[in-house]
């Protein structure tokens, strides 16, 4: 799986951080990575969209008709009630779509984990001569381990979603906390791919986030922002997921001191 050609030190604009533009250029100049990315995009998009529709339908069933009938305003002092209902309706609309997206995306993420681990491994081998040092063997058992790790992180996503529902009731601070939760959780999902080739445990991945919290937040920032755009988030995230996987892989290898590019 490793190239036998010469190696040179990578020189992105910042040697301690690989920009997203560099990761995009890296992906575009490797047709095999693009081909495998396309397959994963189609599979992830289909699974996410199906799960998203199911989650929205489930949420609507539990909320009933509360947001379908506005309060009747007959006196001027009743207007604040209507304004409050309208504001709550829009807050609920946005947050319910974000939550439904994450539930669906987490399910799709869990099921496609082995495919993205393969994509990350492939990208890592073409980026760094040292990426394969200490890696686990590619076996059926290893693939099942990757799937199980993805399911565990997916289950964590459900816990994060429940926490977000509770914390969101705190004005201003709650919304900022929810965004940070999703940013770090997004980083965890992507860190899972490059670290899985070394058979890192979930505890090791969480420790990495804690040790590199600034970098982790940067890695999860853009995905978390995309997840807040209703409807489009499903398609945009599925389309960009391979890019985020490659981007995280290159940064993970760089931070871990393995930044030696294969030419």
């Amino acid at each position: 799986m490793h190239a036998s050609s010469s190696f040179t030190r990578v020189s992105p604009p910042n040697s301690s951080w690989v920009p997203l533009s560099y990761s995009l250029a890296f992906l575009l100049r490797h047709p095999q990575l693009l081909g495998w990315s396309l397959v994963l995009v189609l599979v992830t998009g289909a699974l996410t969209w199906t799960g998203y529709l199911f989650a929205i339908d489930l949420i609507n069933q539990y909320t009933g008709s509360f947001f379908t009938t506005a309060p009747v305003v007959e006196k001027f002092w009743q207007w604040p009630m209507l304004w409050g209902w309208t504001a709550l309706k829009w807050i609920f609309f946005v947050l319910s779509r974000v939550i439904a997206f994450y539930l669906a995306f987490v399910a799709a993420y869990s099921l496609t984990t082995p495919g993205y681990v393969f994509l990350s491994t492939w990208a890592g081998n073409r980026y760094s001569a040292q990426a394969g040092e200490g890696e686990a063997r590619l076996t059926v058992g290893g693939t099942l381990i990757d799937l199980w790790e993805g399911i565990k992180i997916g289950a964590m996503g459900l816990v994060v979603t429940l926490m977000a529902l509770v914390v969101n009731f705190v004005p201003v601070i709650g919304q900022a906390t929810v965004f940070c939760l999703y940013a770090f959780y997004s980083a965890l999902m992507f860190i899972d791919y490059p670290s899985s080739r070394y058979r890192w445990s979930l505890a090791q991945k969480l420790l990495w986030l804690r040790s590199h919290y600034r970098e982790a937040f940067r890695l999860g920032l853009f995905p978390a922002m995309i997840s807040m755009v209703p409807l489009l988030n499903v398609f945009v995230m599925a389309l960009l997921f391979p890019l985020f996987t490659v981007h995280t892989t290159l940064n993970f290898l760089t931070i871990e001191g393995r930044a030696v590019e294969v030419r």
Side-chain angles (χ1 to χ4, degrees):
M1 294 179 66
H2 306 288
S4 58
S5 52
S6 60
F7 307 110
T8 58
R9 181 65 59 179
V10 175
S11 300
N14 185 344
S15 59
S16 64
W17 181 260
V18 179
L20 189 62
S21 58
Y22 183 90
S23 301
L24 176 60
F26 180 88
L27 179 62
L28 292 177
R29 70 172 186 256
H30 291 90
Q32 290 176 315
L33 289 177
L34 281 175
W36 187 244
S37 296
L38 178 59
V39 173
L40 290 172
V41 164
L42 295 176
V43 174
T44 305
L47 290 174
T48 303
W49 178 245
T50 301
Y52 178 79
L53 293 178
F54 176 78
I56 287 295
D57 183 63
L58 192 63
I59 290 173
N60 290 336
Q61 287 181 22
Y62 280 100
T63 56
S65 59
F66 181 78
F67 291 109
T68 58
T69 305
V72 177
V73 177
E74 296 179 344
K75 306 294 183 179
F76 73 91
W77 59 79
Q78 294 177 327
W79 277 105
M81 182 183 298
L82 177 61
W83 296 336
W85 178 88
T86 302
L88 186 61
K89 177 181 179 180
W90 280 105
I91 291 174
F92 173 80
F93 176 82
V94 173
L95 289 180
S96 64
R97 269 55 186 175
V98 171
I99 291 170
F101 166 78
Y102 258 88
L103 290 174
F105 192 71
V106 161
Y109 155 82
S110 299
L111 294 174
T112 57
T113 295
Y116 281 104
V117 170
F118 182 71
L119 175 67
S120 175
T121 301
W122 206 351
N125 289 343
R126 281 151 182 77
Y127 176 71
S128 173
Q130 301 174 1
E133 295 179 3
E135 68 177 347
R137 294 178 58 189
L138 181 61
T139 62
V140 174
T143 301
L144 293 177
I145 292 175
D146 292 339
L147 181 59
W148 175 239
E149 287 296 310
I151 292 174
K152 287 196 295 184
I153 294 178
M156 279 193 62
L158 300 180
V159 175
V160 169
T161 299
L162 291 176
M163 291 175 59
L165 283 173
V166 175
V167 173
N168 187 69
F169 286 102
V170 181
V172 183
I173 297 177
Q175 286 71 51
T177 303
V178 168
F179 182 80
C180 289
L181 279 173
Y182 281 134
F184 281 109
Y185 178 70
S186 296
L188 175 62
M189 287 197 302
F190 289 110
I191 285 298
D192 177 45
Y193 300 138
S195 62
S196 287
R197 73 183 298 182
Y198 310 111
R199 294 290 180 266
W200 279 20
S201 65
L202 180 56
Q204 288 176 293
K205 296 166 188 174
L206 291 173
L207 181 60
W208 192 94
L209 292 184
R210 180 180 177 182
S211 301
H212 306 282
Y213 62 91
R214 292 186 180 87
E215 293 84 353
F217 185 78
R218 290 179 69 178
L219 290 172
L221 179 62
F222 197 22
M225 291 175 62
I226 293 175
S227 70
M228 300 185 72
V229 182
L231 298 180
L232 289 178
N233 51 14
V234 177
F235 302 102
V236 175
M237 184 60 90
L239 183 63
L240 295 180
F241 206 78
L243 173 60
F244 291 147
T245 299
V246 171
H247 181 57
T248 301
T249 299
L250 302 191
N251 276 290
F252 176 82
L253 293 174
T254 299
I255 293 170
E256 290 296 300
R258 298 171 180 265
V260 179
E261 187 175 16
V262 178
R263 287 190 174 181

